[in-house]
Amino acid sequence: MAIGVVAGIVLAAIVALIGLFKLMWRVAEPNEALVISGSTHRTEGIGEGMGFRIVTGRGTLVVPGVQAVRKLSLDLNETQLNVDCVTHQGIPLRVKGVVIFKIGDDLVSIANAARRFLDQQKMMPERVHIVFAGHLRSIVGGLTVEDMIRDREKLTGQTRAACGTEMEKLGLIVDSLQIHEIEDPTGYIKNLAMPHAAAVQRDARIAQAEANRLATEAEQTAFARMAEATRDSEILQAGYQAERDKAAATARQAGPLSEAAARQEVVVQETRVAELEAHRREQQLQADVRKPADAAAYETRTRAEAERDARISAAQAKAKETELAAAAEATRVTTAATADAAATEARGLAAAKATRATGEAEAAATQAKGLAVAASAKAKGLAEADAIKARAAALAENQEAVVAQQLAENWPAIVEAGAGAFGNVEHMVLLNGAEGMSEMFAKALTMGGTGLGLARQLLASMSQPGAPGTTAPAAPVNGSAASTSHQIPIAEA
């Protein structure tokens, strides 16, 4: 009986030990970590004095009442991103995506997550959303809409890189980040796609039209080949039928053809006989009629050509004579008209020179008269004395210059006197054309220049020893111009 009691006590002690062991033993599941607090522990890779111990994937003893055991889930978590952003171009967008994350498997990540989310694991998606939303807005603000559409991987990579440090501090790692959709409330993305969509639609329509054209061409080619085959078949059938009909007709006409051939041979022989007879008659006509007629026609034609050539030569001579007479008459009329025009021009020039000379003389006389009235008698006497003395001295020194000066002063009157010789001439005909006109004007001027020659002769005689007088006589100047006569080549006056 004592043995039974001992055995019961031992069994009870064993059961109590087993129950106590089960109460103290904790095992961490593969997807969780045990955080044991209540004593100072040293964990490899973290440091000493952390205040809690981390157990993953194995069991451990926990002293009830002294240590506290809590579980930290290592399962995947996700948070939906729905972030309003503004691009570098100032275009508002809404970025939608998903972040799949979990607590890191290393002890440092578990320790960081335990300090922050041990009793708030349900708040992890919200905290992660806040972190990613802030960085996503910053990254989108530096990109354009085109960059985000064409390279979403770039947006994803930059977002993960920007959030990596903060997620590491939280003890979290990102397993996946996906940008699902980029909403454009302003329609910018749709407008970007419109040119490309239009181009694709255009290319599609062009391709469809090209395909339709090719199909139509193929169909028409097939129809043409069918029609060609039908035509060739019908042509062959018609040829065969024509050959059959020809053979039948030949068979039917064999007898008549033989008779016609015999008749044709007869006609050919008769035709040859008729041709020989016609040739004989033609040769006879050539000898009897045509040769004499050709000779008579040749004689008549030769005589007619000779008479025609004689008439043509006479007509040409008459025409040449008429042409020369007309040319001579035209030359005479042209010469007369040229002479009349030259005479009219000469008379106009002489009248203009005479009028100008008269005006200059009147002006000089008026000026001299005013000076004579204004001067006193004494000054006039002294001036005349000085003039006589100066003229005497000038004549003694240079008689040619003094006479030339006097002639220059009276030259308009001299020219007018020389031109007066033609004053009463109505019509003037020059026999030698332009040379006669030049000679006439030269002789007219010579009339006035005769006075200059007479004056020079007087000066020469005065310069001889014993020549009387101290002044050059003025009368011969005008007198010579008036009394000198010249022969002018005038045919009719």
Side-chain angles (χ1 to χ4, degrees):
M1 185 173 180
I3 296 172
V5 173
V6 173
I9 294 172
V10 172
L11 183 60
I14 292 173
V15 171
L17 288 173
I18 293 174
L20 181 60
F21 179 78
K22 291 181 63 177
L23 181 64
M24 297 175 60
W25 186 256
R26 297 286 187 272
V27 178
E29 298 293 336
N31 62 340
E32 64 182 7
L34 298 180
V35 180
I36 303 170
S37 58
S39 61
T40 301
H41 299 277
R42 176 178 179 151
T43 302
E44 184 178 356
I46 298 178
E48 299 180 358
M50 186 174 61
F52 59 90
R53 181 162 54 95
I54 299 172
V55 178
T56 57
R58 59 187 178 85
T60 184
L61 290 174
V62 177
V63 180
V66 177
Q67 295 176 332
V69 179
R70 284 173 290 186
K71 296 181 179 180
L72 186 63
S73 176
L74 301 180
D75 290 337
L76 289 176
N77 294 277
E78 70 175 40
T79 179
Q80 298 292 330
L81 296 178
N82 192 0
V83 184
D84 293 330
C85 307
V86 178
T87 66
H88 180 69
Q89 301 159 311
I91 299 173
L93 297 176
R94 177 170 294 172
V95 181
K96 291 185 177 181
V98 61
V99 180
I100 299 175
F101 64 94
K102 64 182 292 296
I103 298 174
D105 295 330
D106 59 291
L107 297 179
V108 175
S109 298
I110 295 173
N112 292 336
R115 290 191 180 97
R116 292 166 177 80
F117 303 110
L118 187 58
D119 294 329
Q120 299 178 358
Q121 294 188 45
K122 294 182 179 180
M123 300 295 293
M124 283 194 299
E126 182 179 354
R127 300 291 187 270
V128 172
H129 183 277
I130 293 172
V131 172
F132 274 86
H135 287 287
L136 192 60
R137 289 190 184 96
S138 177
I139 293 170
V140 170
L143 299 175
T144 62
V145 178
E146 290 81 356
D147 295 337
M148 296 174 60
I149 294 173
R150 295 169 185 169
D151 193 2
R152 290 194 180 184
E153 186 64 28
K154 179 180 179 181
L155 175 62
T156 303
Q158 290 183 359
T159 304
R160 293 186 66 168
C163 298
T165 303
E166 297 183 9
M167 294 293 286
E168 183 179 356
K169 291 180 181 179
L170 296 175
L172 304 176
I173 59 174
V174 178
D175 278 356
S176 177
L177 171 61
Q178 298 293 329
I179 303 298
H180 291 164
E181 184 179 0
I182 298 176
E183 293 184 355
D184 177 19
T186 62
Y188 183 86
I189 298 176
K190 183 178 180 181
N191 293 331
L192 281 178
M194 288 179 67
H196 302 287
V200 172
Q201 185 177 5
R202 178 200 62 201
D203 295 340
R205 292 179 61 186
I206 292 173
Q208 184 64 39
E210 183 67 16
N212 293 336
R213 183 184 66 79
L214 294 176
T216 303
E217 289 181 356
E219 291 177 355
Q220 296 300 323
T221 303
F223 291 153
R225 290 179 179 175
M226 291 173 61
E228 183 180 1
T230 304
R231 181 202 63 189
D232 295 341
S233 176
E234 292 177 352
I235 290 173
L236 289 175
Q237 293 177 8
Y240 296 152
Q241 184 64 36
E243 291 178 359
R244 289 195 298 270
D245 295 342
K246 182 178 180 181
T250 303
R252 288 193 303 269
Q253 296 176 0
L257 285 175
S258 298
E259 183 179 355
R263 179 60 184 166
Q264 181 180 4
E265 185 66 25
V266 173
V267 172
V268 167
Q269 295 299 326
E270 292 177 350
T271 303
R272 288 180 179 177
V273 172
E275 288 178 353
L276 291 174
E277 183 64 23
H279 182 69
R280 185 187 66 78
R281 290 181 180 179
E282 182 180 359
Q283 295 296 328
Q284 187 66 31
L285 289 174
Q286 289 281 347
D288 297 341
V289 179
R290 186 172 182 179
K291 293 294 181 65
D294 289 343
Y298 176 76
E299 181 181 2
T300 303
R301 184 170 60 254
T302 302
R303 290 179 178 179
E305 289 178 354
E307 293 176 357
R308 182 197 62 191
D309 293 340
R311 289 195 299 272
I312 290 173
S313 298
Q316 289 179 348
K318 184 65 175 178
K320 185 66 174 179
E321 181 181 357
T322 304
E323 181 181 356
L324 293 174
E329 181 64 20
T331 303
R332 185 187 67 78
V333 173
T334 303
T335 303
T338 304
D340 290 342
T344 303
E345 182 179 359
R347 286 196 298 269
L349 290 173
K353 291 181 178 179
T355 303
R356 184 177 64 182
T358 303
E360 291 177 353
E362 291 178 355
T366 303
Q367 182 179 5
K369 185 178 179 180
L371 293 175
V373 173
S376 62
K378 183 177 179 179
K380 182 176 180 181
L382 292 176
E384 290 177 354
D386 292 338
I388 293 171
K389 184 178 180 180
R391 181 174 297 178
L395 287 173
E397 294 178 0
N398 192 355
Q399 298 175 356
E400 185 77 14
V402 174
V403 173
Q405 180 180 3
Q406 291 180 353
L407 290 175
E409 292 174 354
N410 297 316
W411 191 253
I414 295 171
V415 174
E416 182 179 3
F422 304 98
N424 297 322
V425 177
E426 291 185 7
H427 302 285
M428 180 181 295
V429 178
L430 301 180
L431 298 181
N432 52 351
E435 294 180 359
M437 180 63 68
S438 301
E439 183 179 354
M440 180 185 67
F441 280 107
K443 289 183 177 181
L445 294 175
T446 305
M447 293 179 182
T450 306
L452 178 60
L454 293 176
R456 290 177 177 174
Q457 292 176 4
L458 289 175
L459 289 175
S461 63
M462 290 173 64
S463 62
Q464 295 177 1
T470 57
T471 59
V477 175
N478 293 331
S480 298
S483 62
T484 303
S485 61
H486 299 273
Q487 184 178 0
I488 301 174
I490 300 176
E492 178 182 355

